[in-house]
Amino acid sequence: MSDLAQILTQAAADTERHVARLGWDQAPRLFALVRTDSLRNAEPGLRDQLAGSAPESLTSIEQEGLRKTSNIETMLGTLAWPEGVDGAAIALERIVVPPEAERDLPLNPTEATEALAAHPARKDVRLLAAVLRTGESVCLLRQRDHDSDDAVAIGADIAPGLVAALRATLTD
């Protein structure tokens, strides 16, 4: 793993733990990722808060006021980050069901969602995807049934569509 990939993975893990401390049933949360040394220089008032962080690390900055949407990828398509932002991360919760649960669903989207939410084999998960302008990406997945920092899955291909949509927010 490259140095940048390790730095991104550490920032993503720190951000995921921050989100996890606030429990489940949260709305999606969006974060800018900024090199800590750049943030210290741009915001001298934060130097004390960032004192223990390595200069090359990434600091996540939550973006408040994220609009509600039923399609995160479309919403991300409307966003763009300024040049000083090195990367972005998004945390969101999803329901995962086995493929057979999707057979014979009602045609009405609301009824289908309710049927999936009530399925006995459903799993609640929190997904955090993080990307850098330089191309690195990582995803973390936490299951509600195994809600522990040491049980978070980490991988590059957990949510390729979400990674691509998040990466598009960083291109001109």
Side-chain angles (χ1 to χ4, degrees):
M1 184 183 298
S2 73
D3 288 346
L4 274 178
Q6 288 178 333
I7 290 167
L8 177 62
T9 299
Q10 183 61 52
D14 291 345
T15 304
E16 194 282 330
R17 281 190 299 273
H18 166 75
V19 172
R21 280 194 295 271
L22 297 175
W24 287 89
D25 304 317
Q26 297 181 48
R29 297 173 67 182
L30 183 66
F31 301 85
L33 299 175
V34 180
R35 283 184 50 104
T36 302
D37 59 348
S38 298
L39 186 57
R40 278 190 191 117
N41 293 334
E43 299 290 337
L46 296 176
R47 287 180 194 243
D48 289 343
Q49 284 180 268
L50 300 171
S53 301
E56 69 278 1
S57 68
L58 292 164
T59 299
S60 62
I61 304 166
E62 186 162 6
Q63 306 302 294
E64 298 190 8
L66 191 62
R67 6 178 253 272
K68 288 189 175 197
T69 181
S70 60
N71 189 320
I72 292 293
E73 287 85 356
T74 299
M75 184 274 299
L76 288 173
T78 67
L79 297 179
W81 297 98
E83 194 174 300
V85 173
D86 298 290
I90 190 164
L92 47 87
E93 295 179 13
R94 291 290 181 253
I95 296 171
V96 179
V97 294
E100 62 272 9
E102 296 183 22
R103 282 190 231 124
D104 302 322
L105 283 175
L107 294 177
N108 178 295
T110 302
E111 292 174 7
T113 299
E114 290 171 358
L116 291 172
H119 194 280
R122 81 177 249 177
K123 298 287 181 191
D124 294 339
V125 299
R126 179 179 302 112
L127 173 66
L128 184 128
V131 300
L132 292 177
R133 283 189 193 275
T134 52
E136 292 80 6
S137 66
V138 67
C139 294
L140 288 81
L141 185 75
R142 180 185 293 253
Q143 292 184 35
R144 187 183 287 222
D145 291 350
H146 305 285
D147 191 0
S148 172
D149 289 349
D150 63 352
V152 174
I154 299 173
D157 298 325
I158 294 174
L162 184 58
V163 166
L166 194 57
R167 188 174 279 133
T169 68
L170 295 163
T171 60
D172 295 331

